[in-house]
Amino acid sequence: RKMAAVRFPGCRTFLTSRRIVSNKLSLICLRSSTTSTSEDFFERNRQLSRPLSPHLTILMKHPPLPAMLSISHRITGVILGVDISSTTICWLASGQSFNQFIESVQALSLHPLLTIGWKFCFAFPFTYHFLNAFRHFAWDAGHGFKMKTAYASGYIVMALSLVSAIGLTLYTPSL
């Protein structure tokens, strides 16, 4: 008789038998009386107070710039979604045309520092997300994966985002 070992959840080892009993294959589960090696591994790590994922704690002490910029890209995407949604909801709730809505916001006569800060909170996530998308497009095309290139493009995106966000913040169109 030939036996072949097969792994199955709940049992350490399953053996299949070629013996046919009423046209069905019989499976034999062999259980060991000792605990499995994975249980020993996790118990030992608990006793030694080791973290479950040590690679995450190592990366969080000195996170690489490309990883932080990738996370920031996702965060700015969420911020843009919240900014655009909340502004659109306020505009639609006002019942005015968009130009009238902008004029009514300008008529609030808010302090210039508050206005500049508010505009920067809209401009920076937009410019960063827009410019960083080009890095992601280049990565999708298979370019810019060398660490030197990834860091250089990251610094360029951060600098251009900051400069263009400041430019958009200080720009005041005439209506």
Side-chain angles (χ1 to χ4, degrees):
R1 281 200 314 201
K2 293 185 178 181
M3 304 287 274
V6 178
R7 303 221 15 115
F8 231 86
C11 293
R12 285 183 90 187
T13 308
F14 266 92
L15 297 178
T16 60
S17 171
R18 293 268 174 184
R19 182 182 58 173
I20 299 177
V21 178
S22 66
N23 293 330
K24 293 181 183 176
L25 289 175
S26 62
L27 293 176
I28 305 165
C29 179
L30 301 177
R31 287 197 178 263
S32 173
S33 61
T34 62
T35 59
S36 70
T37 56
S38 64
E39 290 173 1
D40 293 339
F41 172 78
F42 288 116
E43 182 59 35
R44 183 169 179 221
N45 282 342
R46 269 189 231 105
Q47 290 173 353
L48 295 173
S49 299
R50 290 181 180 162
L52 185 60
S53 300
H55 65 283
L56 294 177
T57 56
I58 291 169
L59 283 178
M60 286 300 123
K61 288 181 182 174
H62 303 288
L65 181 68
M68 294 308 298
L69 293 179
S70 182
I71 292 167
S72 299
H73 185 76
R74 292 181 177 115
I75 291 170
T76 56
V78 171
I79 291 170
L80 284 173
V82 170
D83 282 350
I84 292 170
S85 298
S86 61
T87 303
T88 304
I89 289 170
C90 289
W91 167 48
L92 292 174
S94 73
Q96 302 172 337
S97 70
F98 189 71
N99 286 341
Q100 291 172 335
F101 177 71
I102 295 297
E103 289 172 3
S104 64
V105 170
Q106 288 175 340
L108 293 174
S109 299
L110 299 173
H111 192 274
L113 289 178
L114 184 64
T115 306
I116 287 172
W118 188 251
K119 285 171 68 175
F120 187 80
C121 288
F122 273 89
F124 183 75
F126 174 76
T127 58
Y128 176 78
H129 196 79
F130 178 76
L131 293 172
N132 200 39
F134 290 108
R135 286 181 72 217
H136 283 271
F137 291 146
W139 289 345
D140 290 342
H143 304 291
F145 285 117
K146 292 182 181 175
M147 289 307 280
K148 186 176 181 181
T149 307
Y151 273 83
S153 64
Y155 287 127
I156 289 169
V157 164
M158 287 191 311
L160 287 177
S161 298
L162 190 61
V163 168
S164 58
I166 290 171
L168 285 173
T169 301
L170 299 178
Y171 174 73
T172 305
S174 59
L175 292 177

